[in-house]
């Protein structure tokens, strides 16, 4: 039996024998009941084997649910996605009876897919705890165990040593910004890349480079935007070195214009919403060296990229761990967190909150970290690299069959791009309306995916690589190709 197939014992809990909580966690009757739950969920899950269309007899009840959901939100659903509560790996069953390939999994949240037995087991174990939520004044140990595991993994190749656990990626980013402000007080300006996304709180919406995201919000945070790496632009200005030198010059201009006023530079090492954009290591080191020299905090936001790059952390993939002062993670970790180095340790009182997360967040989050660590996902020949290769082969074959669907796009060298488990392709010249139409057509045909970028636009996938098989890719692209044909007309 491999580690992933094993069933870690609740006796791993550091609770002393004799405690009521220890007896509860090790109760053989409860463990037997959990085994039954996992087994029965698996039996239902395995009945889902392929994409299927909506079932006519469920149309009326489904439309009623959609109407109620839309009335609650006050606007139409982007996709008519209401899950039934069951799936099988990369396949998900919706409440209209359809089954679809889920290639976006809630924007990258569920790396191990739907109805995974280890995740079901972790959820069931969390359900017996005395309360649903933990907080800074009331916490069971699972919250600390999650943080311990995260620090252990992060500390292998960085100086990150402590963590604050919280409920969302945006709050993790808010906490990171507080740490940078406090350390570098009274500096109040922020440097970020164009096309970055930071979350949807008032402050993060101001930093994120989206006009719609900050529509109607008073602008109280001062942000200086830097260009992100673009291979096509680098070629046009005379090469990599010339492009990087120009960016360093731009950064120094901001610093000279506002001396000692920048608290931090936020780095998304792989841009998410901005278009799954990547950059070479020398681009980042040139900018980070300037930050170090000027005492500007280097803040690495890996909320979307964590776990999906060729190494577990994007900074490991690029060998940048020594540069990182402050770090944020979320999405696939379930619970979210801000980490920092000893130098950036915040003073008491700066970070707190009623909730740090739910018991399920911590038990599932810890189990996911263990599974990522124990699996064969990383390295040049790891599963993530193999899946990325399989994705590229399928996308390229589709382009070769239909070159008229894939005209050149502005500032795009490669119509297939991304990093590891962050995958994109660019149909229809990156035209916004056509790319959005393509995504919606894919949903109707049986593949859930989404777009990214701010022009050109791309089709993006964040597949559940922890549950997906390499042989699934031709089946996914068979549906994608059918959908794009409808948009191409």
């Amino acid at each position: 039996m491999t580690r992933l197939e094993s069933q870690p014992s609740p006796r791993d809990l550091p609770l002393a024998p004799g405690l009521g909580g220890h007896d509860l966690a090790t109760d053989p009757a409860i463990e037997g009941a959990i085994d039954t739950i996992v087994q029965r969920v698996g039996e239902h899950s395995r009945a889902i084997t392929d994409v299927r269309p909506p079932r006519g007899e469920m149309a009326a009840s489904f439309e009623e649910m959609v109407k109620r959901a839309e009335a609650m939100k006050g606007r139409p659903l982007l996709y008519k996605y209401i899950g039934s509560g069951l799936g099988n790996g990369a396949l998900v069953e919706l409440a209209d009876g359809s089954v679809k390939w889920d290639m976006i999994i809630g924007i990258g949240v569920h790396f191990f897919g739907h109805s995974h037995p280890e995740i079901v087991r972790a959820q069931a174990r969390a359900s017996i705890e005395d309360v649903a939520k933990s907080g800074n004044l009331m916490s069971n140990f699972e919250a600390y165990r999650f943080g311990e595991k995260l620090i252990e993994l992060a500390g292998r190749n960085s100086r990150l040593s402590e963590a604050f656990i919280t409920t969302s990626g945006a709050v993790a980013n808010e906490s990171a910004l507080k740490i940078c402000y406090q350390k570098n007080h009274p500096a109040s300006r922020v440097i970020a890349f164009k096309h970055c996304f930071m979350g949807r709180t008032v402050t993060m919406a101001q930093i994120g480079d989206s006009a719609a995201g900050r529509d109607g919000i008073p602008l109280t945070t001062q942000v200086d935007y830097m260009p992100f790496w673009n291979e096509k632009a680098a070629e046009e200005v005379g090469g990599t070195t010339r492009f990087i030198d120009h960016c360093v010059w731009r950064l120094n201009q901001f610093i000279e214009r506002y001396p000692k006023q920048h608290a931090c530079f936020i780095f998304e090492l792989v841009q998410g919403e901005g278009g799954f954009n990547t950059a070479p290591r020398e681009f980042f080191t040139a900018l980070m060296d300037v930050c170090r020299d000027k005492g500007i905090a280097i803040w690495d936001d890996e909320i979307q990229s964590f776990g999906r790059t060729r190494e577990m952390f994007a900074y490991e993939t690029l060998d940048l761990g020594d540069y990182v002062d402050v770090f944020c993670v979320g999405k696939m970790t379930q619970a979210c967190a801000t980490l920092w180095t000893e130098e950036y340790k915040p003073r008491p009182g700066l970070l707190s909150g009623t909730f740090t997360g739910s018991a399920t967040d911590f038990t599932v989050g810890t189990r996911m970290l263990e599974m990522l660590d124990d699996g064969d996902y990383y390295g040049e020949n790891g599963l993530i690299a193999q899946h990325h290769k399989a994705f590229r082969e399928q996308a390229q074959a589709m382009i070769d069959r239909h070159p008229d669907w894939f005209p050149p796009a502005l500032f795009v060298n490669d119509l297939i791009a991304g990093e590891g488990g962050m995958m994109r392709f660019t149909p229809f010249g990156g035209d916004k309306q056509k790319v959005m139409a393509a995504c919606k057509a894919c949903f109707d045909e049986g593949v859930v995916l989404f777009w990214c970028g701010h022009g050109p636009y791309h089709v993006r996938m964040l597949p559940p690589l922890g549950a997906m098989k390499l042989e699934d890719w031709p089946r996914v692209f068979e549906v994608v190709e059918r959908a794009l044909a409808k948009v191409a007309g």
Side-chain angles (χ1 to χ4, degrees), residues 107-351:
I107 312 294
V109 177
H110 306 291
F111 184 80
F112 291 95
H114 297 270
S115 301
H116 191 291
E118 287 297 317
I119 306 306
V120 172
R121 181 177 299 281
Q123 291 181 87
R125 284 190 173 144
S127 70
I128 66 171
E129 295 216 352
D130 58 332
V131 291
K133 289 278 193 179
S134 283
N136 286 297
L137 283 180
M138 199 239 71
S139 183
N140 297 340
F141 192 72
E142 284 302 311
Y144 300 110
R145 178 145 75 165
F146 168 78
E148 276 185 343
K149 186 63 182 177
L150 194 54
I151 291 168
E152 173 202 327
L153 297 172
R156 292 175 183 172
N157 291 300
S158 78
R159 296 176 293 113
L160 300 166
S161 58
E162 296 177 346
F164 174 73
I165 310 301
T166 188
T167 53
S168 77
V171 177
N173 276 342
E174 289 275 355
S175 302
L177 183 57
K178 283 182 177 181
I179 291 169
C180 296
Y181 279 155
Q182 186 180 74
K183 169 68 177 175
N184 293 322
H185 179 79
S188 60
R189 300 187 74 88
V190 171
I191 305 169
F193 285 117
K194 289 181 178 178
H195 307 304
C196 71
F197 179 82
M198 300 300 299
R200 298 191 181 278
T201 60
V202 170
T203 302
M204 291 303 123
Q206 293 178 64
I207 298 174
D209 191 16
S210 165
R214 66 173 83 94
D215 182 22
I217 295 175
L219 301 181
T220 56
T221 302
Q222 297 166 312
V223 187
D224 296 313
Y225 290 102
M226 287 285 298
F228 196 81
W229 170 260
N230 183 285
E231 188 175 352
K232 186 89 169 179
E235 289 174 2
E236 292 186 4
V237 300
T240 298
T241 301
R242 195 174 179 90
F243 183 89
I244 293 174
D245 287 347
H246 173 76
C247 291
V248 169
W249 174 78
R250 288 278 299 272
L251 177 58
N252 280 315
Q253 272 201 323
F254 285 131
I255 294 171
E256 290 170 10
R257 184 175 296 144
Y258 305 108
K260 300 186 183 302
Q261 293 186 45
H262 292 99
C264 56
F265 190 153
I266 304 157
F267 289 82
E268 271 185 297
L269 301 180
V270 182
Q271 287 197 310
E273 303 303 310
F276 284 11
N277 303 313
T278 60
R281 181 176 188 274
E282 57 265 34
F283 172 71
F284 292 121
T285 56
L287 299 175
M288 289 176 175
D289 282 337
V290 175
C291 291
R292 271 191 166 178
D293 183 56
K294 302 298 182 183
I296 297 169
I298 296 170
W299 164 5
D300 176 16
D301 172 4
E302 296 196 17
I303 289 171
Q304 188 160 156
S305 63
F306 170 77
R308 292 187 166 276
T309 49
R310 280 167 292 157
E311 303 297 335
M312 188 181 296
F313 296 83
Y315 67 70
E316 288 180 315
T317 303
L318 291 161
D319 189 22
L320 294 170
D322 187 57
Y323 282 96
V324 177
D325 296 311
V326 181
F327 172 86
C328 292
V329 71
K331 288 191 182 289
M332 80 159 66
T333 54
Q334 309 296 297
C336 302
T338 308
L339 284 74
W340 56 84
T341 63
E342 179 65 26
E343 185 183 4
Y344 275 81
K345 184 184 184 76
R347 294 190 288 276
L350 187 71
L351 304 181

Side-chain angles (χ1 to χ4, degrees), residues 49-66:
T49 58
D50 204 350
V51 167
R52 71 181 183 220
R55 295 168 62 176
E57 69 273 25
M58 297 170 184
S61 62
F62 182 71
E63 285 304 318
E64 177 60 24
M65 279 192 282
V66 170

